[in-house]
Structure formats: structure tokens, C-alpha cells
């Protein structure tokens, strides 16, 4: 008999030694017997304690090129024992848990207890943020529920995490599992009707997620399908499945070894905790050690999926895929599909495209170098993917301000090394700021630490200045700068592209009056480009020329909140790129002209025709060629205080006067940097590389005297 208990409040609770439960919870699984009350020291599953994640406190002070000036206490913003917000560069624990921990965690859980499927909460998840939504993990063929172990600590800050455990001897049919998950979902929805419910379905769990969503179209569900097994009928391994049934029991111990190489990439699994900055020789040494430690663990796969269980799971998988595929039309949920490019189990890449065309609200992200066991491999942080695709929300509609989760230390390291590493090396950025007495100093000391602060400046070609600016504020001041970006990146055709995901991870919001209002009211540091796309996509000969709208769009709003306005300039685009084909050139080429016109036909427009030359700029990619890199220079001007000037700046003439003064400050700063960079002995990348190799990290390389 299927049953789930009901009571006021959440029907699961996170339990660990640091966060005692407010009440004891008795959880029933798919059966009539009550499971034991969970202890505060561990979560008991099958009579065994779930392992605790290793509490290694890694220093947030990097050495060399990545030296940071702040240690971050991630639980600083705690009120009444509840974590209300996360500090920038918080520790998400990524890299402290490995696949070996996965095998260690499953050893006790796979012992037969005759029990039915049940939920458990990993201790490592800890206490989530206030008002966090709930996330249910639906496992793949292994059924252990430990497939998220690499992501527990990170997800545990943003969600109440619950994992489904299906014992190895359980033979509940697919419809029974659907009803079990469904009843849990309905109970949670009844408890918190305004919160979304997340279902992370891994392989087989993807079919289970789709089936539950199809049967509950009125519940606000967010599905995250990881290499969904809904394509099992098109699997490359279909011819081998009948052979598995004929293999004698004594030879079955070899099957898990074969499956481990088919389902995942052991090398990717072994690289999870290897620092990307290590020299190649040290990387290879650590990889070898990890592989030596991992390979013996593969023998336990024979215990996790014994022969009878494997044959049952394959039959279950076929019925699950047929059930889910027949009901795709009924799925109304928001769906995020994660597909591996080297999946040897199922054709995940093709299946992702099929699901995107079949489902009403579906986003796809591809991971070209990963295998079927994506969540256990290096190169993916699930929370980062959720944030980058703007899928994280605490209510029915995403709030780009209150639902934002600041980047973690591992995210900053990854972007600095893997995503923008070459650009960082090429730019060698130098920051200057202006103190209140007008003195120009190196660093960001002149920018106020307390918000609200509105940083206003010139937008370089293709937004080349963005990455270094946001990164340096994080490193030097531990401040998250929220950039106001074109809405097309969030709601238009560009939203489907993974190219802009990192902008969203690092705080970009759609540039709307509502979002600007919320950011300033929450005392944030906001980055605003009045010239927007017109400056970032300028024509030849227009370098470092401002194209601002006729109206002072931001001055009065800044004054309303008493925000400090900091004008800034950045130069260096002409030292990195050569603009070969601008908008005027491309419009002369018939095929490209038609493409630009078509792609902008339904594009989101920010301003009407009364806003001057900056209005309604077409979005396109200019033709560019790289140069031998020079250097990027930033100058933040003297802060302009608007506090106490709300009534004065309500007057249109006064507001316009200040608006023109800000433009003048930026133009003067641009001219200053263009002149002073000629005095920099390390303007060339070759000179900086030589200096860095001999003397110091990149950010300490000397420059001109301000």
C-alpha cells in the first residue's frame, strides 16, 4: 500500500550536528511500515548512517595570480539561526568530494533490508537559505540516490534537497514509482503552493520526472533532465541487452566494469578534485593517483547492480521510456535538459533536440566532453548550470534581484582559468580610482564600499571590459557588481545560447526600470551603460565616443535612493581587436544584411525613436580580428553623492545638468587614459609576460604613475 504522512510544515527536514530539527519527522516510504525517526547526527537509510562530507576548510586566499584580499565567511548573513543570504565567493564545496566518496556512501545503503523506496536527506546539504524551494533527486539505474554527491553542499544552500533511494531488491513497477513520487510532490505543493518544486532526473530518473510532470500539469514544477533515458529504444547498446540475460552468474562480475566505461568517463571522474592551475606534470601525477584509487571501487558496481537487479532495471527502463514518451504532450513544466556529447549509453544529444521540439518550455545545454554519468564527472557544477540558465527561483516568477545567488569561489576560479583565462592574460587589466580629494590611486579604494552605488560608463566593443571589472570588484572589495544587460539576452533568441550563461552567473540583470529600482533599493552596486548596444557595437572611427540617450534616464532614480554615482572609463579595445566589418559594411552584403534584418525582426527594443541615435540599435556580431594584445586600463572617477538631493534633482534642468557633467567626466577620463597609457612600459603582453615570469603575479605588474 502506498502512503505518505501529512502534517503541518515541511514533511522532511535537514538534520545535522549544526542544525538541530525544529521538530521530529517520521517519514513513510512506499509501504505500510513507518521508517524510524531520523537522528540529528545522521540520516538513517537501510539501518546505516549516510556519510558526512569531509569538512575541509579551504583557504579563500589564492597564491600567485589569484591572490585575494578577503577571506569570506559564507555564513555571515545569518539571522535567528536561518541563513538569509550568501556572501560573494562563498564555499560551495565543489572539488572536496570525489567519485570514491560515492562508492563509499553506497556500501551500507545497498545492504538488503526488504524495505520499499524511500526519501533521504544528505547531511552534507546542511541548512538552506530562507524560503528555499525543495529539490527532489530521482536517480538513474543504480537507484542509490547518491548521484548528486558531488553537488550536495552547493545545492544544499539553495534548495531543500531530498534524494530517492530504491533498494536493489525492490521490484516496484514504474507506475508504482510514479505514484510514490507524485504523492510526495502533491503533499509538498499543498504545504507550499507558491513555491516551485524541482525534479532532477538522472537517466532513468528523467523518465520518472517527465511522467510525474505529465500527470500534474497544474503544479509548478521545474524539471532538470540529465541524459534522459527516454531515448533508450535508440540506445547504441540495444543489441547487447539480450546478451546480458544469457550471461552466466559467474561472469556477471565483469559486466559492471564494462558498464562503468560505457556509462561514464573514468578520467573525467578522477579529475573532479584536481586544481586547474596545477602544472601539467602535477596534474598528471594526481590524475594517476586518483585513477588508481578509483578503479578498485568499480568492483562494487556488481553489488550495487547485481544480475537480477540489472535485468529488472533494463525492463523497468523500457516501460519508463514508453510511459514518458507517450505523455510528452501533457508536460507543462519548465524543463532544462542537460545532454552529454560522449554518452555511450543513450543518444543524449539527439534526444535533447527531440525534447526541445516536443516540450512547450524547454532549454537545452550540451556538455560535449562528458559521458552518461554527467553528475559524477569533472566540468559540471549543477548549481552553476541552474543559475546560468536563470532557472533558480523561490516563487512562481523569477525575481532577478531577490532570487540571485552570488558566485562561489569555485565559479570565480573556473571562469578566471577556463572561460576567460586567455582574455585575462591578454588584457592585463589595471584599475585606478579617484579619492574624494581628487587624487587618483591604483586600485578601487575610491569606490564607496557601502551601497547603493551606480557605476556609469562607456561600453567598449563587444563588452570587452566587463569580465575584468566584475572580477576585480570581487577580488579586491568582495563586492558583487550587478550589470544591467540587454533584455534580449534573457527573453529573446539569445537566451537559448549558452554563450551568455556566465554573465547571468555573475549578476547580470535585464535593464529595466523595475530591476534598477529593486537593485538600488537593496543598496547594491549597479553597473549601467547608458550607451548600451550602440557603444558596444559601434562603427569604425567611433572608438571611445559616447552615444547616450537625450534624457537623463538614471539621475533622478539614483537621487531617489540617495545612490552614489561613480563615472568610469575603460580603454583597451583598440589594443586587442581590429574592427574589420562594422554595421555599415555588413549591411552592404546582401545575405548578411538579410540575416541581420531577420534576426532583429522580433528582437526586444529598449527605447522609442525619441531617444536619439542610441534608440533601437540592431544586434549583430561585427567582423573583428585579434591584435597582438596591449593592455586594458580603467579609471573610476570621483564619486558623485546624490543623497539629500532628491528634491533638487526632481527638477529636469538640474538633473540634465548633472547628466551632462557625468558624460564630461567620462570623456575626460577616456582622454586621460589614452594619453597616460603611452607611458606604460608594460603595455605590451610580451613585456608583461616576461615581467610576470621573473618578478610577480599579473595584477602586480607596474604601470604608469597616475
Amino acid at each position: 500500500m502506498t502512503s505518505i504522512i501529512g502534517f503541518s510544515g515541511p514533511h522532511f527536514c535537514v538534520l545535522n550536528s549544526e542544525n538541530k530539527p525544529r521538530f521530529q519527522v517520521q517519514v513513510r516510504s512506499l509501504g505500510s511500515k513507518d521508517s524510524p525517526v531520523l537522528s540529528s547526527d545522521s540520516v538513517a537509510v537501510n539501518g546505516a548512517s549516510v556519510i558526512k562530507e569531509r569538512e575541509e576548510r579551504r583557504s579563500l586566499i589564492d597564491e600567485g595570480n589569484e591572490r585575494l584580499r578577503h577571506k569570506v565567511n559564507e555564513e555571515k548573513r545569518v539571522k535567528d539561526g536561518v541563513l538569509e543570504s550568501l556572501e560573494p565567493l562563498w564555499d560551495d564545496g565543489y572539488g572536496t568530494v570525489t567519485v570514491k566518496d560515492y562508492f563509499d556512501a553506497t556500501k551500507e545503503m545497498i545492504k538488503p533490508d526488504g524495505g520499499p523506496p524511500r526519501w533521504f536527506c544528505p547531511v552534507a546539504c546542511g541548512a538552506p537559505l530562507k524560503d528555499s524551494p525543495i529539490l527532489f533527486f530521482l536517480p538513474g539505474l543504480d537507484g542509490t540516490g547518491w548521484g548528486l554527491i558531488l553537488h550536495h553542499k552547493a545545492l544544499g544552500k539553495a534548495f531543500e534537497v531530498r534524494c530517492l533511494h530504491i533498494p536493489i531488491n525492490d521490484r516496484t513497477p514504474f507506475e508504482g514509482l510514479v505514484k510514490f513520487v507524485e504523492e510526495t510532490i502533491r503533499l509538498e505543493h499543498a504545504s507550499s503552493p507558491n513555491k516551485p518544486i524541482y525534479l532532477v532526473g538522472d537517466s532513468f530518473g528523467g523518465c520518472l520526472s517527465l511522467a510525474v510532470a505529465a500527470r500534474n500539469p497544474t503544479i509548478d514544477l521545474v524539471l532538470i533532465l540529465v541524459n534522459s533515458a527516454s531515448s533508450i529504444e535508440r540506445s547504441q547498446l540495444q543489441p547487447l541487452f539480450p546478451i546480458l540475460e544469457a550471461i552466466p552468474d559467474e561472469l556477471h562480475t565483469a559486466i559492471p566494469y564494462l558498464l562503468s566505461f560505457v556509462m561514464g568517463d573514468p578520467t573525467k571522474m578522477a579529475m573532479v578534485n584536481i586544481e586547474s592551475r596545477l602544472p601539467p606534470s602535477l596534474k598528471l601525477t594526481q590524475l594517476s593517483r586518483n585513477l588508481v584509487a578509483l578503479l578498485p571501487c568499480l568492483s562494487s558496481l556488481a553489488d550495487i547492480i547485481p544480475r537480477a537487479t540489472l535485468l529488472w532495471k533494463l525492463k523497468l527502463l523500457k516501460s519508463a521510456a514508453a510511459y514518458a514518451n507517450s505523455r510528452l504532450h501533457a508536460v507543462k513544466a519548465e524543463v532544462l535538459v542537460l545532454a552529454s556529447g560522449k554518452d555511450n549509453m543513450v543518444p543524449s544529444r539527439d534526444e535533447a533536440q527531440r525534447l526541445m521540439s516536443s516540450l512547450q518550455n524547454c532549454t537545452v545545454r550540451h556538455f560535449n566532453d562528458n559521458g552518461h554519468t554527467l553528475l559524477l564527472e569533472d566540468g559540471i557544477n549543477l548549481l552553476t548550470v541552474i543559475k546560468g540558465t536563470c532557472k533558480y527561483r523561490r516563487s512562481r516568477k523569477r525575481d532577478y534581484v531577490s532570487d540571485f545567488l552570488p558566485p562561489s569561489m569555485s565559479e570565480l576560479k573556473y571562469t578566471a582559468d577556463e572561460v576567460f583565462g586567455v582574455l585575462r592574460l591578454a588584457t592585463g587589466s589595471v584599475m585606478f580610482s579617484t579619492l574624494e580629494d581628487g587624487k587618483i590611486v591604483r586600485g578601487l579604494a575610491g569606490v564607496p564600499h557601502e551601497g547603493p552605488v551606480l557605476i556609469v560608463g562607456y561600453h567598449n566593443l563587444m563588452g570587452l571590459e566587463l569580465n575584468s571589472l566584475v572580477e576585480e570588484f570581487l577580488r579586491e572589495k568582495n563586492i558583487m557588481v550587478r550589470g544591467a544587460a540587454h533584455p534580449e539576452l534573457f527573453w529573446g533568441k539569445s537566451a537559448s545560447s549558452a554563450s551568455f550563461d556566465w554573465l547571468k552567473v555573475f549578476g547580470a540583470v535585464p535593464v529595466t526600470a523595475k530591476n534598477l529600482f529593486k537593485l538600488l533599493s537593496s543598496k547594491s552596486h549597479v553597473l549601467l551603460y547608458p550607451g548600451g548596444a550602440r557603444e558596444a557595437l559601434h562603427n569604425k572611427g567611433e572608438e571611445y565616443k559616447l552615444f547616450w540617450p537625450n534624457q537623463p534616464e538614471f539621475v533622478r532614480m539614483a537621487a531617489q535612493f540617495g545612490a552614489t554615482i561613480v563615472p568610469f572609463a575603460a580603454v583597451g579595445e583598440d589594443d586587442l581587436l581590429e574592427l574589420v566589418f562594422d554595421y555599415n559594411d555588413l549591411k552592404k552584403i546582401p545575405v548578411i544584411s538579410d540575416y541581420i534584418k531577420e534576426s532583429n525582426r522580433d528582437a526586444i527594443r529598449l527605447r522609442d525613436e525619441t531617444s536619439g541615435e542610441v534608440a533601437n540599435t540592431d544586434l549583430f556580431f561585427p567582423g573583428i580580428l585579434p591584435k597582438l594584445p596591449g593592455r586594458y586600463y580603467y579609471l573610476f572617477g570621483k564619486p558623485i553623492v546624490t543623497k539629500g538631493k532628491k528634491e533638487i534633482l526632481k527638477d529636469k534642468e538640474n538633473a540634465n545638468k548633472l547628466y551632462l557633467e557625468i558624460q564630461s567626466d567620462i570623456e575626460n577620463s577616456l582622454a586621460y587614459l589614452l594619453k597616460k597609457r603611452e607611458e606604460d612600459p608594460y603595455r605590451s603582453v610580451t613585456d608583461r609576460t616576461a615581467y610576470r615570469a621573473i618578478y610577480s603575479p599579473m595584477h602586480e605588474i607596474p604601470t604608469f604613475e597616475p
Side-chain angles (χ1 to χ4, degrees):
M1 176 180 179
T2 303
S3 64
I4 295 183
I5 60 173
F7 44 83
S8 60
H11 58 289
F12 300 102
C13 76
V14 179
L15 300 170
N16 58 30
S17 57
E18 297 178 356
N19 180 45
K20 300 297 182 181
R22 293 187 296 274
F23 49 84
Q24 288 188 322
V25 181
Q26 191 175 54
V27 181
R28 286 187 182 177
S29 51
L30 200 161
S32 58
K33 295 183 179 180
D34 295 343
S35 65
V37 175
L38 304 181
S39 73
S40 60
D41 295 322
S42 65
V43 176
V45 180
N46 289 3
S49 292
V50 174
I51 66 166
K52 294 185 178 180
E53 182 179 343
R54 294 172 300 187
E55 295 297 330
E56 297 177 357
R57 291 296 178 184
R58 296 172 296 170
S59 172
L60 298 187
I61 301 295
D62 284 8
E63 297 181 2
N65 297 347
E66 306 303 323
R67 184 165 62 233
L68 302 179
R69 298 182 175 94
H70 292 275
K71 286 185 178 180
V72 181
N73 179 5
E74 68 182 64
E75 296 185 358
K76 181 178 178 182
R77 303 179 183 184
V78 178
K79 184 178 181 181
D80 298 329
V82 179
L83 188 62
E84 293 198 330
S85 61
L86 293 172
E87 287 278 0
L89 306 186
W90 56 285
D91 181 12
D92 62 6
Y94 189 75
T96 61
V97 181
T98 67
V99 179
K100 186 176 182 299
D101 293 311
Y102 163 80
F103 288 106
D104 292 340
T106 59
K107 284 181 180 178
E108 292 297 329
M109 290 186 65
I110 62 177
K111 292 181 179 179
D113 66 352
R118 78 289 307 263
W119 301 101
F120 70 92
C121 171
V123 175
C125 291
L129 290 167
K130 183 180 180 182
D131 296 326
S132 293
I134 195 165
L135 181 150
F136 293 102
F137 175 63
L138 309 180
L141 282 181
D142 66 306
T144 63
W146 280 105
L148 278 182
I149 192 168
L150 271 59
H151 312 271
H152 282 166
K153 187 172 182 179
L155 292 174
K157 286 287 186 279
F159 299 96
E160 294 183 33
V161 180
R162 308 293 176 262
C163 303
L164 177 62
H165 173 65
I166 305 174
I168 60 173
N169 290 331
D170 180 75
R171 297 297 182 263
T172 304
F174 182 71
E175 290 82 357
L177 293 174
V178 170
K179 291 179 180 178
F180 174 57
V181 175
E182 180 180 66
E183 290 182 0
T184 307
I185 297 304
R186 290 178 177 177
L187 180 60
E188 186 62 36
H189 176 66
S191 175
S192 303
N194 295 320
K195 284 186 181 181
I197 298 174
Y198 286 74
L199 299 181
V200 177
D202 184 14
S203 187
F204 166 76
C207 298
L208 190 53
S209 300
L210 288 169
V212 171
R215 290 164 57 103
N216 297 273
T218 60
I219 297 179
D220 185 9
L221 296 175
V222 180
L223 309 187
I224 302 173
L225 310 180
V226 184
N227 292 327
S228 176
S230 49
S231 61
I232 190 65
E233 291 298 330
R234 290 178 282 121
S235 171
Q236 305 92 306
L237 302 180
Q238 273 292 338
L240 299 179
F241 291 158
I243 299 177
L244 294 177
E245 300 181 12
I247 290 180
D249 290 343
E250 53 269 21
L251 296 181
H252 178 76
T253 53
I255 298 301
Y257 284 98
L258 297 176
L259 286 178
S260 66
F261 287 93
V262 169
M263 296 179 67
D265 185 345
T267 303
K268 280 281 187 181
M269 295 179 182
M271 290 180 64
V272 168
N273 65 339
I274 299 179
E275 284 283 347
S276 60
R277 299 189 192 93
L278 290 176
S281 59
L282 291 180
K283 278 186 179 180
L284 184 60
T285 300
Q286 190 168 343
L287 175 61
S288 300
R289 291 174 180 172
N290 288 354
L291 280 172
V292 170
L294 175 62
L295 291 177
C297 297
L298 298 180
S299 62
S300 62
L301 283 173
D303 299 320
I304 296 174
I305 313 177
R307 183 174 185 273
T309 300
L310 178 60
L311 298 178
W312 164 255
K313 290 289 180 69
L314 290 176
K315 293 179 181 178
L316 188 66
L317 196 54
K318 292 180 181 179
S319 64
Y323 189 102
N325 287 325
S326 66
R327 291 164 174 78
L328 289 181
H329 63 280
V331 176
K332 310 296 182 184
E334 187 176 359
V335 181
L336 171 62
V337 178
L338 310 184
S340 294
K342 295 182 178 179
D343 190 341
N344 296 319
M345 184 75 178
V346 291
S348 293
R349 195 175 188 85
D350 294 339
E351 180 65 2
Q353 298 306 121
R354 186 183 76 91
L355 290 174
M356 186 168 67
S357 61
S358 301
L359 299 173
Q360 300 176 22
N361 183 7
C362 183
T363 302
V364 173
R365 289 294 179 266
H366 293 283
F367 299 85
N368 296 328
D369 297 325
N370 292 88
H372 188 70
T373 53
L374 180 62
L375 298 176
L376 291 174
E377 297 181 13
D378 182 49
I380 174 173
N381 184 326
L382 183 56
L383 183 60
T384 303
V385 177
I386 294 172
K387 294 194 296 181
T389 52
C390 294
K391 297 300 180 185
Y392 184 75
R393 52 189 172 89
R394 296 183 178 94
S395 58
R396 290 187 176 275
K397 186 176 181 181
R398 175 175 169 82
D399 188 313
Y400 286 92
V401 177
S402 62
D403 286 335
F404 174 70
L405 300 174
S408 66
M409 176 57 70
S410 71
E411 289 170 336
L412 179 64
K413 287 181 179 179
Y414 184 84
T415 54
D417 295 341
E418 305 294 332
V419 182
F420 299 113
V422 175
L423 182 61
R424 290 176 69 250
L425 179 65
T427 57
S429 301
V430 185
M431 304 277 172
F432 295 96
S433 61
T434 309
L435 303 179
E436 292 184 1
D437 60 3
K439 182 181 178 180
I440 297 176
V441 296
R442 186 168 181 177
L444 301 173
V447 181
H449 189 82
E450 297 296 327
V453 174
L454 187 60
I455 304 170
V456 184
Y458 165 74
H459 212 353
N460 279 221
L461 181 66
M462 304 290 289
L464 287 173
E465 80 288 354
L466 271 171
N467 174 64
S468 294
L469 187 153
V470 173
E471 181 181 336
E472 194 61 26
F473 268 88
L474 282 168
R475 294 188 181 281
E476 183 174 333
K477 300 178 77 72
N478 195 36
I479 288 176
M480 185 70 247
V481 174
R482 305 296 306 277
H486 200 292
E488 183 70 17
L489 303 182
F490 298 85
W491 305 319
K493 296 177 182 178
S494 299
S496 61
S497 172
S499 304
F500 303 106
D501 284 2
W502 284 108
L503 289 178
K504 302 163 189 175
V505 171
F506 280 83
V509 300
V511 58
T512 65
K514 182 178 180 180
N515 285 335
L516 189 60
F517 182 96
K518 289 182 177 180
L519 287 169
L520 293 177
S521 63
S522 63
K523 298 185 177 181
S524 301
H525 284 64
V526 185
L527 177 62
L528 182 67
Y529 294 107
R534 178 61 182 86
E535 290 176 354
L537 301 174
H538 64 70
N539 296 318
K540 296 175 184 176
E542 295 177 344
E543 297 86 358
Y544 310 121
K545 181 181 179 181
L546 299 185
F547 292 93
W548 284 20
N550 298 327
Q551 301 298 323
E553 297 175 316
F554 60 84
V555 172
R556 283 194 291 268
M557 183 171 288
Q560 182 177 351
F561 295 98
T564 300
I565 300 175
V566 179
F568 90 95
V571 303
E573 64 172 68
D574 55 336
D575 265 0
L576 290 178
L577 299 175
E578 179 74 32
L579 182 57
V580 181
F581 296 101
D582 62 14
Y583 182 77
N584 294 327
D585 295 327
L586 296 175
K587 290 291 285 185
K588 295 176 183 177
I589 305 174
V591 176
I592 298 179
S593 177
D594 293 341
Y595 175 78
I596 293 175
K597 183 178 180 180
E598 181 62 28
S599 61
N600 283 274
R601 185 185 305 276
D602 299 320
I604 299 172
R605 301 294 183 176
L606 290 178
R607 302 178 176 100
D608 58 33
E609 295 298 335
T610 64
S611 298
E613 189 175 358
V614 74
N616 297 333
T617 301
D618 282 345
L619 302 179
F620 67 100
F621 283 99
I624 54 176
L625 288 175
K627 291 182 177 180
L628 180 66
R631 200 172 192 180
Y632 244 96
Y633 305 87
Y634 299 75
L635 175 58
F636 295 85
K638 185 177 180 180
I640 301 171
V641 179
T642 66
K643 190 173 183 179
K645 300 179 181 180
K646 181 178 178 180
E647 295 301 321
I648 297 175
L649 292 176
K650 277 185 177 180
D651 180 78
K652 186 176 181 179
E653 185 175 342
N654 290 334
N656 193 60
K657 181 180 178 181
L658 179 58
Y659 186 69
L660 295 176
E661 288 177 3
I662 294 170
Q663 288 190 58
S664 179
D665 285 348
I666 294 173
E667 290 170 341
N668 292 336
S669 294
L670 287 168
Y672 172 86
L673 291 175
L674 289 171
K675 179 182 178 181
K676 294 292 288 185
R677 72 176 179 176
E678 301 296 334
E679 304 173 13
D680 186 0
Y682 298 101
R683 181 178 173 184
S684 171
V685 67
T686 54
D687 295 328
R688 293 197 305 275
T689 302
Y691 185 94
R692 185 163 61 107
I694 299 172
Y695 296 106
S696 71
M698 183 165 54
H699 71 278
E700 290 185 348
I701 296 175
T703 184
F704 61 79
E705 287 295 325

